[in-house]
Amino acid sequence: MTVPRPPHQRRALFLVNPGARHGTASLGGVRERLARDLDLTDVRWPGAAAISDTIRARAGDADLVILGGGDGTLNAATSGLFDTQLPLGVLPLGTANDFARTLAIPSDLAAAADVILAGAPRPMDLGEVNGHAFLNVASIGFSADLARALTHEAKRRFGVLGYGIVAARLLMQSRLFTAFIEHDGTVEQVRTLQVSVGNGRHYGGGMTVEATATADDGRLDFYSLEVDHWWRLLALLPALRRGTQGAWDDVRAFRTTEVVVRTSRPRPVNTDGELVTFTPAHFRIRPGAIHVYTPAPAGASAFSPNLLPEGSA
């Protein structure tokens, strides 16, 4: 016998990426918690390439989408969420969960479920580069090389520690490259190790784009690491974790709504851990493009010991 759905009960598509670092964790208790107030429809994970199409196809059956996964999972769903305007509930199951930390969504899954049940969906910006959306940060140079070298197995086995292991090896081999940066009516030529363009606050399992950045401020936060020795970058690491690197002489930083980065030869662009396009890279902001359930305004700091232990990145 089918139990009738209570009137006005919200309908939710429930999808979990089994390939996320904690994607095979038991979610029975969390699902039961959500099902007390939501009419859940379990949807078999279709793969990252098809997740947005799945959301679009099932939009008529839902009032919200609940996704279990990491930043890559969420990134893959952005176009479907934008097209349908279904609000998103996040269950952080990834390696770094940087977008969840930016929005102060707890890493504890029961607490994250409570955010979906009691929170309110808030408009959040999306960054975009050459037509590809990103939630956290897009980068050219060292971080893109790191994304290419950091295998799926390393992330599953070592977690955020995997970033540090691979980064240390790559840092010794890194070289500066020339970039032409066009923004706000100016063109600047720089020699840089990395340029990064942030939509949210956190990225890379413990780094911060800019200390005061939020995912709903309608701005992109840009910085360029123009260091001439790898040991100088080591000295910068505490500032990169805090998001205060813009105060250093060898870091160029500004806020904008649109920027173009050109290089002498095509270089890959990393968005939320995935290589999706090449330079020339045209970045812009999409204000309030999607809605996400959060426990507090996006400006609230999400970095605390119970979310990511100090020294774990």
Side-chain angles (χ1 to χ4, degrees), residues 176-180 189-192 262-264 267:
L176 301 184
F177 64 94
T178 299
F180 299 89
Q189 180 178 342
V190 304
R191 291 281 292 168
T192 183
R262 304 182 189 277
T263 53
S264 56
R267 285 184 168 270

Side-chain angles (χ1 to χ4, degrees), residues 189-212:
Q189 180 178 342
V190 304
R191 291 281 292 168
T192 183
L193 182 69
Q194 172 179 300
V195 296
S196 294
V197 182
N199 171 59
R201 183 181 304 177
H202 300 295
Y203 73 102
M207 301 295 106
T208 304
V209 178
E210 207 283 330
T212 62

Side-chain angles (χ1 to χ4, degrees), residues 51-265:
I51 181 61
S52 282
D53 286 340
T54 298
I55 291 172
R56 283 187 282 262
R58 305 294 295 270
D61 303 324
D63 301 302
L64 68 148
V65 176
I66 298 174
L67 279 180
D71 294 310
T73 301
L74 302 181
N75 180 290
T78 53
S79 69
L81 295 169
F82 176 76
D83 289 343
T84 63
Q85 286 299 295
L86 289 174
L88 170 66
V90 178
L91 296 177
L93 297 175
T95 302
N97 300 310
D98 289 308
F99 188 64
R101 293 198 305 123
T102 290
L103 302 187
I105 295 171
S107 60
D108 177 80
L109 296 180
D114 288 341
V115 167
I116 300 169
L117 294 172
R122 302 176 186 274
M124 296 295 157
D125 305 337
L126 286 177
E128 183 183 283
V129 54
N130 294 350
H132 299 273
F134 60 94
L135 295 163
N136 302 318
V137 70
S139 57
I140 303 162
F142 178 75
S143 283
D145 295 338
L146 177 59
R148 183 163 44 193
L150 191 62
T151 65
H152 179 71
E153 178 58 31
K155 287 195 286 187
R156 286 185 67 90
R157 182 176 180 183
F158 299 110
V160 291
L161 181 61
Y163 288 97
I165 294 172
V166 178
R169 185 180 75 244
L170 285 178
L171 184 58
M172 307 293 287
Q173 307 166 359
S174 295
R175 298 292 183 270
L176 301 184
F177 64 94
T178 299
F180 299 89
I181 304 164
E182 303 175 23
H183 70 99
D184 303 303
T186 66
V187 179
E188 302 171 279
Q189 180 178 342
V190 304
R191 291 281 292 168
T192 183
L193 182 69
Q194 172 179 300
V195 296
S196 294
V197 182
N199 171 59
R201 183 181 304 177
H202 300 295
Y203 73 102
M207 301 295 106
T208 304
V209 178
E210 207 283 330
T212 62
T214 70
D216 64 351
D217 58 11
R219 295 281 182 172
L220 297 170
D221 289 275
F222 177 99
Y223 75 79
S224 169
L225 296 178
E226 297 163 19
V227 296
D228 52 3
H229 295 289
W230 65 265
W231 53 261
R232 181 65 172 165
L233 186 59
L234 292 180
L236 265 170
L237 281 177
L240 287 165
R241 285 183 63 86
R242 294 190 299 266
T244 57
Q245 62 271 18
W248 287 60
D249 292 339
D250 39 15
V251 177
R252 187 182 311 263
F254 56 84
R255 279 184 169 166
T256 189
T257 58
E258 190 170 9
V259 59
V260 177
V261 178
R262 304 182 189 277
T263 53
S264 56
R265 62 177 177 83

Side-chain angles (χ1 to χ4, degrees), residues 270-313:
N270 166 30
T271 62
D272 296 338
E274 302 293 331
L275 302 178
V276 299
T277 187
F278 291 84
T279 56
H282 185 175
F283 301 89
R284 67 186 183 99
I285 191 75
R286 286 196 208 165
I290 62 173
H291 291 72
V292 185
Y293 287 91
T294 69
S301 175
F303 189 81
S304 63
N306 65 333
L307 295 178
L308 182 67
E310 186 69 26
S312 65

